[in-house]
Amino acid sequence: MEQQPTSGATVGVRIALDVICVHSYLGYTRFTRAADRLRAEGHRIQVEFLPFELAPGAGTEGAPLLPVLERTFGPQAVRQTLQFAGQVAAEGLELHYERAVATGTFEAHRLIARAARQGRAEAMVERLFRAHFTDGLHIGDSGTLARLAAEAGVTADDPETAGPVPESAAETERLRTELDRVRGLGITGVPVFLIDGVPRLTGSQPEAVLLSALREAVRSASDG
């Protein structure tokens, strides 16, 4: 998905999301389908991911998600979660909440930033979503992140680094600054789609809406 045609218009898209947010997963899946249609027509869709933490500062010890939801929000939250999983199955998403792991996502966002520097952010984001929601993997665990990075073709920036997610103070500070900057944009929930020349779109928008917005951005880029 990272390789794109060289002809046609170029559209920049920034997407704020969190990889443990089901609405981010659904919205991003719909977006990729819309973007793939434009790419097939010869346009370039350049995607940048903006980090957002649903639970800032949450630990990465890992715990079964459904009991955590029940303790935090009550049994109704679990029922709604499972009901939603059934609804989105029609769109091809497999959400296995019975084995999902609750965790903080700071390290996952650090890995996405690294993947972006290597031109593999889209593949990395998709793999992290699938790991959390479908495979039941603990995406806050450094060993798990290392395996997922390898699957997505993401390597360490520094050949001397032992793994793809090093404990770099500078890298940590950059990510914290970016998280603050994203919230400073007035983003308080995700997903949010910031498409060149198009009003901000918030939430898991229908694929048709995202496609229409991308086509509007293409027209604007072509006219410019």
Side-chain angles (χ1 to χ4, degrees), residues 10-14 193-201 212-224:
T10 298
V11 172
V13 181
R14 293 176 295 157
F193 300 88
L194 303 171
I195 302 173
D196 285 353
V198 178
R200 177 182 299 193
L201 294 172
S212 177
L214 288 171
R215 288 202 186 281
E216 182 180 342
V218 164
R219 287 193 296 271
S220 178
S222 299
D223 293 342

Side-chain angles (χ1 to χ4, degrees), residues 132-156:
H132 176 69
F133 286 102
T134 304
D135 301 336
L137 299 178
H138 179 191
I139 62 170
D141 174 72
S142 60
T144 299
L145 290 174
R147 292 192 298 274
L148 295 174
E151 287 183 28
V154 177
T155 60

